[in-house]
Amino acid sequence: MGVVESREWYLSAYAPDGVPTSDHLKLRTLSLSLGPDSIPDQHVAVQLLWISVDPYLRSRMTGSEDGLYFSQFDLNQVLTEFGIGRVIRSKSSEFTEGDIVINPFSPVAEYCVVPTAFLRKVDPTFGISLPDYLSSLGVPGFTAWVGIEVLGNPKPGSNVFISAAAGGVGMFAGQLAKLKGCRVIGSTGSDEKVKLLKEEFGYDDAFNYNKETDFDAALSKFGDFMKEMEVYLKEGKVRSKHKVYSGIESFLESFSSLFSSSNSGKVVIQVI
């Protein structure tokens, strides 16, 4: 495998308002050399397997730096996201061909050559599915864990309310609160999602905010991260739900879906 054709998504124009469209996000095909002389030391060539799709990307597409932790994407440069890939060439003693790795700054591209500094190996035989590393063990799970375990730290018997409860963060926040012995109520945008929260994620109750008119009455119905979440997952105490899109060409569709309330759970793309 000397040269491969790799499709990648890039930002062609900033979108200061609204949801980015095909006027802003575009797919192109590039030729990428994977020969030994094309890969620098302490770099690896990676074939992308899974890519996360997260709402925070929207804030990196406005063209404004005000108040942001992450910088804006550069125009005409490939987007980056949390991704999982397979090492297919290595110039590092720490990684070998066939290793499965997580990259928090993965190019949204079928193939890439990246430095090894931020890569972390995962064992695909460990008993945790690869998409879970982008959801319960990724940014959504970590966000939920910080909110419940670190910032909120509710006591057993406390009432906990989770908004957007069927989303990528909310589904984990509610389950973590339940594990702490809390009574949990969630709000979501459809009756189907209300049923999902109560039957699959163990919420004590939930309501459809499109139908509920008295929010006070609705709420009155209820008087170290990786290691902890891995244990919860393996013991079946925390469950995940993913909306899986297929192929890197579905990135724009999957990203747009984040802002339509059409999904339940974490949005990911299975690239191959």
Side-chain angles (χ1 to χ4, degrees), residues 154-158 180-182:
K155 305 301 181 186
S158 300
K180 292 177 73 69
C182 301

Side-chain angles (χ1 to χ4, degrees), residues 42-43 94-95 114-120:
Q42 303 307 312
H43 283 63
E94 298 180 13
F95 297 91
V114 294
T116 59
F118 296 102
L119 300 184
R120 182 170 66 87

Side-chain angles (χ1 to χ4, degrees), residues 21-44:
T21 68
S22 57
D23 292 333
H24 312 98
L25 297 171
K26 297 186 182 297
L27 183 66
R28 64 189 174 195
T29 301
L30 300 178
S31 295
L32 181 66
S33 175
L34 301 180
D37 295 336
S38 301
I39 302 176
D41 290 339
Q42 303 307 312
H43 283 63
V44 293

